[in-house]
Amino acid sequence: MKSTGVVDCLIIGAGPGGLTAAIYLARFRRNIAIVDSGFSRAALIPTTHNCPGFPMGISGKEFLKRLRFQAAQYGVEIQAGEVMRLKQVENFFEAHVSNSGGSGTSRHRGRDGGGGGEMSIIRAITILLATGTADSRLDTRDWKTCIRKGLIRLCPICDAYEATDQNIALISSSPREGVKHALFLRTYSQNVTLIYQAKAELTSAEKRRLRQVNVEVIEDALGSLHIRGESKPSIRLSKGEELQFDVIYPMLGESPRSQLAVQLGARCNREGKLIVDRHQRTTVAGVYAVGDVVDGLNQISVAAAHAAIASTDIQNRLNKLGYRLCP
Ligand SMILES: Cc1cc2nc3c(=O)[nH]c(=O)nc-3n(C[C@H](O)[C@H](O)[C@H](O)COP(=O)(O)OP(=O)(O)OC[C@H]3O[C@@H](n4cnc5c(N)ncnc54)[C@H](O)[C@@H]3O)c2cc1C
């Protein structure tokens, strides 16, 4: 097991949140390490149209590439691997990292480890968690292809505009979320169907509200999803009936990747998202969280804003603790 010197901040995750934080902290002339396991939600985005500064849209992969390039201008290199465990030791944190090879070292890091599929330890004064969240998936083999083609969409705020006037199915198992998203989608199309996988009954007020705006409600345990080649997706209901749509929004919940902070004692809300204050501090001193892992809107701009706030607070905290002021 190789180990590193103590860095000012260990950033866990190199999606939009982690990479923005890396750019800020490197420009604050901090020694940082950044580790990433390669599952950014942003990499799934076919083309985002609501990211400021890209009037013609940009693919998630290209956006991440540009952020990586920007971070690299300040000497940041991303270590490929997964942080398996965080431990608090005296006045710093110790991260156990399973390296997946192709690792990089940053000249901002006081380190000597990494690479070759082995375990290494990174010690850090502060931790910034930008680990994101994982969407619950429908049972289909072609999940990524369907997302790339816009047949399955996961975020009405991101891309309902692109589904304007289409025949939209929304699948939900939560009455509150189902009704909320159906009403939101109704801004874009007259043809919205809520396929509701009942866990709790919709109230008569909820049903009435949906009827008023012509949202069709189908209460069904949902048989299976069918997508053949380039054709439109269809859903086979449990009794065999098959319904075809232009686009399907499965809003089936998510699993925030908050475990590392929770192991340290950080508090989460009911959905498992980390609770932070207005400086992005979790309830554990020295541990920050940004982006989709935090309670709030799952959006690139939100992750970037969180990262700017957290990095600045980390810089102030390190200065206050007397770590490396310019001589
Ligand atoms: C299909 C789709 C379309 C979307 N469209 C838009 C859009 O148009 N506009 C918009 O603003 N947003 C959009 N989003 C949402 C956007 O992608 C997210 O809000 C954004 O990626 C959040 O950034 P993040 O840095 O918090 O997390 P992520 O981008 O998910 O990055 C988290 C990173 O942390 C890594 N990680 C996790 N755990 C560990 C660990 N233990 N060790 C090391 N690394 C770890 C992961 O591998 C991942 O690379 C879309 C999302 C999806 C799925």
Side-chain angles (χ1 to χ4, degrees):
M1 174 113 64
K2 292 185 176 175
S3 74
T4 71
V6 181
V7 296
D8 291 327
C9 182
L10 166 63
I11 299 170
I12 308 175
L19 287 168
T20 305
I23 293 165
Y24 270 72
L25 284 165
R27 286 176 52 81
F28 292 153
R29 305 176 72 198
R30 287 293 167 189
N31 293 317
I32 60 166
I34 174 163
V35 180
D36 185 65
S37 56
F39 298 103
S40 167
R41 284 181 88 226
L44 289 172
I45 307 174
T47 307
T48 169
H49 295 277
N50 66 0
C51 201
F54 297 97
M56 309 314 287
I58 184 166
S59 79
K61 283 197 173 137
E62 177 60 26
F63 184 69
L64 289 172
K65 199 170 126 193
R66 291 188 190 197
L67 284 180
R68 280 177 174 244
F69 180 72
Q70 191 174 353
Q73 303 311 301
Y74 303 102
V76 175
E77 290 179 30
I78 297 152
Q79 180 173 335
E82 184 176 358
V83 176
M84 309 301 286
R85 197 158 70 91
L86 285 178
K87 213 166 85 179
Q88 196 151 14
V89 184
E90 296 164 8
N91 56 349
F92 59 85
F93 298 93
E94 205 170 76
H96 291 236
V97 184
S98 166
N99 299 304
S100 47
S103 72
T105 61
S106 164
R107 65 176 163 82
H108 290 282
R109 290 182 52 187
R111 47 81 62 212
D112 60 7
E118 58 193 17
M119 293 294 292
S120 64
I121 287 180
I122 298 174
R123 298 194 172 89
I125 313 290
T126 58
I127 300 287
L128 187 143
L129 221 77
T131 42
T133 188
D135 299 287
S136 300
R137 293 179 169 210
L138 279 178
D139 188 18
T140 169
R141 276 180 303 144
D142 302 320
W143 181 254
K144 281 191 183 171
T145 315
C146 294
I147 290 175
R148 186 167 47 74
K149 290 181 180 167
L151 301 175
I152 291 181
R153 296 183 183 273
L154 298 174
C155 165
I157 289 171
C158 305
D159 52 24
Y161 187 91
E162 277 63 48
T164 297
D165 292 336
Q166 293 191 344
N167 185 9
I168 303 173
L170 160 69
I171 305 170
S172 178
S173 51
S174 146
R176 198 172 64 93
E177 292 296 306
V179 173
K180 188 177 83 180
H181 288 303
L183 294 176
F184 185 85
L185 284 166
R186 187 61 186 76
T187 335
Y188 296 94
S189 174
Q190 294 182 346
N191 295 311
V192 177
T193 303
L194 169 61
I195 298 177
Y196 178 59
Q197 300 181 301
K199 270 187 189 157
E201 279 279 301
L202 287 176
T203 63
S204 45
E206 285 166 338
K207 284 184 186 166
R208 197 167 47 247
R209 181 74 189 103
L210 293 171
R211 248 195 331 268
Q212 274 167 357
V213 293
N214 293 327
V215 170
E216 190 178 348
V217 180
I218 299 175
E219 298 195 36
D220 194 273
L222 189 66
S224 52
L225 178 76
H226 294 268
I227 296 172
R228 297 179 198 90
E230 296 293 319
S231 69
K232 293 180 179 180
S234 62
I235 291 170
R236 186 174 302 151
L237 301 177
S238 41
K239 288 193 178 141
E241 189 188 354
E242 202 161 312
L243 305 173
Q244 199 174 63
F245 298 93
D246 295 319
V247 56
I248 296 175
Y249 276 91
M251 309 299 296
L252 295 170
E254 51 181 296
S255 309
R257 299 195 190 96
S258 50
Q259 309 86 321
L260 289 169
V262 170
Q263 280 165 13
L264 290 173
R267 285 184 46 222
C268 291
N269 68 8
R270 273 197 311 184
E271 285 77 43
K273 296 236 176 185
L274 287 166
I275 294 170
V276 291
D277 69 7
R278 67 192 178 91
H279 299 289
Q280 301 301 130
R281 302 170 184 155
T282 69
T283 50
V284 176
V287 179
Y288 293 72
V290 305
D292 287 2
V293 73
V294 165
D295 189 17
L297 263 189
N298 291 351
Q299 289 287 281
I300 290 171
S301 358
V302 174
H306 284 172
I309 293 166
S311 311
T312 306
D313 201 68
I314 289 170
Q315 170 73 337
N316 292 338
R317 178 184 179 84
L318 292 166
N319 281 345
K320 223 182 263 174
L321 292 172
Y323 286 105
R324 206 173 60 95
L325 288 169
C326 189

